[in-house]
Amino acid sequence: MHNELLNWFYLNKRDLPWRHGRSPYRIWVSEIMLQQTQVKTVIPYYKKWIKKYPTLNSFKESKFDDVIKVWEGLGYYSRCKNMFNAAKLIKSSFPNNYDDLIKLPGIGDYTAKTILAIAFKKNLVGIDTNLERIGYRILGLKTKTKRNQKRVIRFLEENQCTKNPGDYNEALMDLGSSLCKASITHCNECPLKNICKAYARSSPTSYPTPKASKKIPIYDVAISVIEYQNKVLITKRQNTKFLSGLWEFPGGKIEKNETAVDAIIREVKEETNLTISNPVFLGNITHKYSHFGVNISLFKSFPKSIKTLNSYREHRWIKLKDILNFPLPKANHKMLDILKKLN
């Protein structure tokens, strides 16, 4: 199997920036960025990252506030925090074995095996959903069970190319992203069609049986741009699993039987101890994250005094024009679009 696959790969492989060389550090960066994120989205972020932190040592010497600014907009910010923490744990050279790699924050079985196969030519296969899908289709397995998953893993590992394990991994990645996609296949161009049972049955997209998509909850949220003496207040999310280290305008969820106006007055008081009245409604924003969405009512408010300010979060009063110097969640960038139009 691997001969046909690699022959196809060498003619059709994608020209990706992290494939120029086999630096374990750069492969690690790319693999973490690619978690739950499309290649086309990752490329400009990867290039920006490598320009700022070209080596592991340059990254290890960085400050987290600078690091997360480079990551800003890529989402799933816990990945960035895990990378930062992992870099501090790497004492000298990058780990070249599974046991040491798997101990690092943010590195699971797939990422560890992929790094080792590509950077160190270890005879391993990093199996993610794309590679798993290829295995299910070749073997003609419809139902996702632990037994079938083990069969897929065994099949892909047994067919590994021991001379070029990294190329084998990347070839399967490219096959899954170009010809053997979840909802569309290009079987006539596939180098593995002759051994594929799903192709023989003329229904590859039904292998494996797709999971029913869950409806994500939508939360109503009130946010306020608080202005005082031509400066606005921003606060920093810290020690949270979600968007940790990013800056934002104060606000929060609208409670049951509460109006957006009442909610923002309450939230500002709880977060900052500032008293606001008559907040001005600026506009509405919707934004979706991976597991939930938000419907944001954006306000502007002008406290008469800031003497009572007492936030449990780190906070800054800044000129609005300077806000892009701080890493912000994507939803806050949408708020800035509303503010720009008003100005």
Side-chain angles (χ1 to χ4, degrees):
M1 165 185 145
H2 66 248
N3 288 329
E4 292 83 0
L5 177 66
L6 290 176
N7 288 337
W8 170 84
F9 175 65
Y10 294 138
L11 291 173
N12 298 280
K13 66 179 177 179
R14 292 172 293 177
D15 183 18
L16 301 173
W18 46 88
R19 288 182 176 174
H20 298 172
R22 285 291 187 264
S23 158
Y25 164 67
R26 295 189 177 202
I27 292 165
W28 172 49
V29 172
S30 68
E31 285 300 327
I32 299 299
M33 287 186 169
L34 286 164
Q35 290 173 1
Q36 297 178 286
T37 309
Q38 293 183 345
V39 170
K40 65 181 179 181
T41 303
V42 167
I43 288 173
Y45 283 93
Y46 174 83
K47 288 180 176 178
K48 182 168 65 170
W49 181 283
I50 294 302
K51 186 175 181 180
K52 179 86 172 177
Y53 307 115
T55 63
L56 177 59
N57 283 338
S58 63
F59 178 38
K60 286 172 70 172
E61 293 167 1
S62 63
K63 294 179 180 178
F64 184 66
D65 284 350
D66 296 331
V67 169
I68 203 166
K69 181 62 183 173
V70 178
W71 191 279
E72 181 187 12
L74 192 56
Y76 298 99
Y77 291 89
S78 60
R79 296 180 296 175
C80 183
K81 183 71 172 177
N82 283 334
M83 280 182 64
F84 184 78
N85 291 336
K88 303 298 182 186
L89 295 173
I90 299 172
K91 293 179 180 177
S92 52
S93 59
F94 200 90
N96 64 356
N97 64 83
Y98 184 88
D99 290 341
D100 287 338
L101 264 183
I102 202 73
K103 292 175 185 174
L104 295 176
I107 294 186
D109 181 78
Y110 162 77
T111 304
K113 288 179 177 177
T114 300
I115 292 170
L116 292 170
I118 296 172
F120 298 104
K121 293 190 174 182
K122 302 282 186 178
N123 190 24
L124 297 167
V125 186
I127 300 175
D128 64 357
T129 53
N130 288 316
L131 273 68
E132 189 180 73
R133 182 174 65 248
I134 293 169
Y136 269 87
R137 288 175 176 174
I138 290 174
L139 297 175
L141 303 174
K142 271 206 168 184
T143 310
K144 280 194 145 188
T145 63
K146 285 185 178 179
R147 179 174 178 269
N148 282 344
Q149 190 174 30
K150 287 179 181 177
R151 291 169 69 185
V152 167
I153 292 170
R154 186 167 60 249
F155 172 77
L156 292 175
E157 288 180 343
E158 286 175 351
N159 284 280
Q160 166 70 289
C161 177
T162 55
K163 288 184 179 179
N164 296 294
D167 289 353
Y168 175 80
N169 277 260
E170 290 184 334
L172 286 170
M173 292 176 195
D174 283 13
L175 190 72
S177 67
S178 61
L179 302 185
C180 197
K181 298 180 181 181
S183 57
I184 185 170
T185 61
H186 303 277
C187 296
N188 283 334
E189 300 170 48
C190 180
L192 305 181
K193 65 183 179 183
N194 291 334
I195 62 168
C196 181
K197 290 182 180 179
Y199 170 71
R201 294 165 190 166
S202 302
S203 58
T205 55
S206 62
Y207 291 82
T209 303
K211 282 185 179 179
S213 57
K214 290 182 181 178
K215 268 194 170 182
I216 64 170
I218 305 294
Y219 300 112
D220 292 323
V221 173
I223 303 291
S224 182
V225 179
I226 301 173
E227 186 172 319
Y228 185 79
Q229 294 184 352
N230 296 318
K231 290 187 176 181
V232 297
L233 179 65
I234 57 173
T235 63
K236 188 178 185 181
R237 297 177 67 96
Q238 287 174 306
N239 302 320
T240 58
K241 288 184 179 179
F242 185 66
L243 304 177
S244 181
L246 300 187
W247 294 80
E248 62 185 5
F249 298 120
K253 288 181 186 176
I254 301 172
E255 294 179 355
K256 192 176 181 180
N257 300 323
E258 187 178 42
T259 67
V261 171
D262 289 341
I264 195 56
I265 292 172
R266 174 185 56 76
E267 282 285 343
V268 168
K269 185 67 175 176
E270 289 175 358
E271 282 188 33
T272 68
N273 202 38
L274 291 175
T275 301
I276 60 171
S277 58
N278 303 317
V280 180
F281 178 67
L282 302 182
N284 193 245
I285 297 152
T286 58
H287 188 73
K288 284 187 178 179
Y289 297 99
S290 57
H291 302 301
F292 68 94
V294 286
N295 179 32
I296 300 170
S297 297
L298 180 63
F299 294 89
K300 196 168 191 179
S301 53
F302 304 87
K304 291 181 180 178
S305 170
I306 61 169
K307 289 180 181 178
T308 59
L309 176 62
N310 182 21
S311 177
Y312 57 90
R313 290 180 174 183
E314 184 180 347
H315 60 276
R316 304 268 183 92
W317 289 99
I318 64 166
K319 296 270 187 188
L320 190 59
K321 66 180 178 64
D322 296 328
I323 197 166
L324 293 181
N325 293 328
F326 298 82
L328 308 169
K330 275 192 176 180
N332 279 60
H333 282 279
K334 292 182 178 180
M335 298 176 206
L336 294 180
D337 290 340
I338 290 178
L339 294 173
K340 283 177 187 174
K341 287 179 182 177
L342 290 173
N343 292 334

